[in-house]
């Protein structure tokens, strides 16, 4: 595991973006897995800047996002599709039909999960997966539980996650209770993983995830078993 410590949020954004830029330069037609939330915002800002400066070309890149809320359409201001458009996709020359986010409005949610897994496999799998970490150790919406979920599935959000995500909504009742998320198996199949953790409130869970017992009670602890993980943390 490659551990990079940073002093401030700006550096976290810059180093995260440089890491991802290296992957895009090495394989411009490759496949990158993306995350939403507060942590990657600075990374996306820097990637957009690298594009504007002419250093990066997104025209052949394929992306798959980790997750999406159930019941929110892509145009909803709280949907993860909208988040990605606003923070990255609308600022670079990526083809929208090469960007994938699970469809939280699908009539048959399980069929949508199966379709998403197939799409990832058909694209040749994920070269680099970007991850944040929740206060309970979740990655994607894989919450603490009795087992590591394998594939993309419908997940029930825990109270802690609903509480944490309320900051993006007006009221906690507006936070959807379910989401579609890549499974731990989907994430672990990515050839490389970049985990970002920012803020002193993430310090303890990050320690448990990286150095504690490997257990589905701390979903991110499974990353200890992955052969190519880089962690950028600090602030
Ligand atoms: C987002 C995601 C989540 C977040 C995690 C941390 O797509 O899958 O697992 O990465 O909740 O969120 P922030 O960065 O807002 O602290």
């Amino acid at each position: 595991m490659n551990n990079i410590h940073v002093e401030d949020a700006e550096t976290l954004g810059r180093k995260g973006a440089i890491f991802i830029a290296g992957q895009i330069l090495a394989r411009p037609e490759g496949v990158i897995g993306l995350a939403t939330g507060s942590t990657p915002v600075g990374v996306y800002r820097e990637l957009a800047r690298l594009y504007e400066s002419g250093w990066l070309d997104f025209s052949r890149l394929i992306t798959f996002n980790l997750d999406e809320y159930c019941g929110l359409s892509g145009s909803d201001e709280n949907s993860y599709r909208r988040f990605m458009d606003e923070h990255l996709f609308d600022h670079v020359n990526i083809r929208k039909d090469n960007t994938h986010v699970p469809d939280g409005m699908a009539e048959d949610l399980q069929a949508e999960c199966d379709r998403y897994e197939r799409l990832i496999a058909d694209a040749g799998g994920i070269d680099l997966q970007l991850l944040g970490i929740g206060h309970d150790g979740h990655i994607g919406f894989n919450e603490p539980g009795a087992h590591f979920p394998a594939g993309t599935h419908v997940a029930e959000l825990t109270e802690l996650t609903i509480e944490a995500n309320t900051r993006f909504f007006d009221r906690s009742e507006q936070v959807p209770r379910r989401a579609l998320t890549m499974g731990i198996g989907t994430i672990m199949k990515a050839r490389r993983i970049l985990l970002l953790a920012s803020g002193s409130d993430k310090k303890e869970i990050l320690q448990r995830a990286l150095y504690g017992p490997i257990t589905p009670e701390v979903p991110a602890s499974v990353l200890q078993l992955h052969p190519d993980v880089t962690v950028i943390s600090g602030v």
Side-chain angles (χ1 to χ4, degrees):
M1 191 174 297
N2 174 23
N3 264 303
I4 300 170
H5 293 279
V6 293
E7 295 301 318
D8 53 63
E10 200 182 326
T11 313
L12 186 127
R14 287 239 162 103
K15 292 203 173 174
I18 290 169
F19 193 92
I20 295 171
Q23 176 67 42
I24 299 174
L25 287 173
R27 235 189 130 224
E29 76 291 8
V31 182
I32 301 223
L34 299 172
T36 59
S38 308
T39 319
V41 167
V43 172
Y44 296 149
R45 194 184 307 122
E46 287 301 321
L47 283 173
R49 250 186 233 166
L50 287 170
Y51 165 70
E52 274 161 31
S53 317
W55 295 104
L56 277 183
D57 175 20
F58 290 77
S59 63
R60 287 186 292 152
L61 196 70
I62 298 172
T63 65
F64 286 93
N65 264 80
L66 279 168
D67 40 23
E68 178 61 283
Y69 288 119
C70 292
L72 297 192
S73 78
S75 57
D76 190 292
E77 59 177 356
N78 285 306
S79 74
Y80 286 172
R81 157 61 70 184
R82 176 88 174 261
F83 175 101
M84 290 310 305
D85 286 347
E86 283 178 0
H87 290 279
L88 183 65
F89 299 154
D90 286 347
H91 306 283
V92 298
N93 66 335
I94 198 159
R95 284 174 45 177
K96 282 283 173 77
D97 55 346
N98 278 344
T99 67
H100 305 281
V101 181
D103 179 4
M105 293 292 280
E107 250 176 56
D108 183 339
L109 292 173
Q110 190 50 54
E112 171 60 9
C113 293
D114 298 343
R115 183 190 73 91
Y116 205 66
E117 281 291 318
R118 265 196 318 274
L119 272 180
I120 296 173
D122 291 349
I126 294 169
D127 294 311
L128 172 65
Q129 177 66 53
L130 177 63
L131 296 176
I133 182 170
H135 293 103
D136 55 4
H138 71 234
I139 46 178
F141 273 117
N142 294 279
E143 301 280 17
H147 67 285
F148 292 115
T152 301
H153 61 283
V154 183
E156 303 282 335
L157 274 60
T158 60
E159 281 308 315
L160 191 65
T161 300
I162 291 167
E163 198 185 301
N165 290 6
T166 297
R167 69 190 194 279
F168 298 112
F169 294 78
D170 293 330
R171 295 191 319 276
S172 73
E173 302 83 69
Q174 292 173 330
V175 184
R177 268 39 187 176
R178 294 192 305 164
L180 301 184
T181 180
M182 285 185 195
I184 293 290
T186 326
I187 293 169
M188 289 294 280
K189 272 191 259 170
R191 289 181 270 282
R192 300 169 75 204
I193 288 181
L194 174 62
L195 173 68
L196 304 178
S198 143
S200 51
D201 54 322
K202 294 282 175 71
K203 217 170 169 178
E204 193 197 324
I205 191 65
L206 189 66
Q207 286 294 314
R208 283 178 64 201
L210 302 185
Y211 306 110
I214 299 167
T215 163
E217 285 301 326
V218 181
S221 65
V222 76
L223 298 175
Q224 294 179 43
L225 299 173
H226 193 283
D228 192 339
V229 178
T230 294
V231 183
I232 307 182
S233 67
V235 189

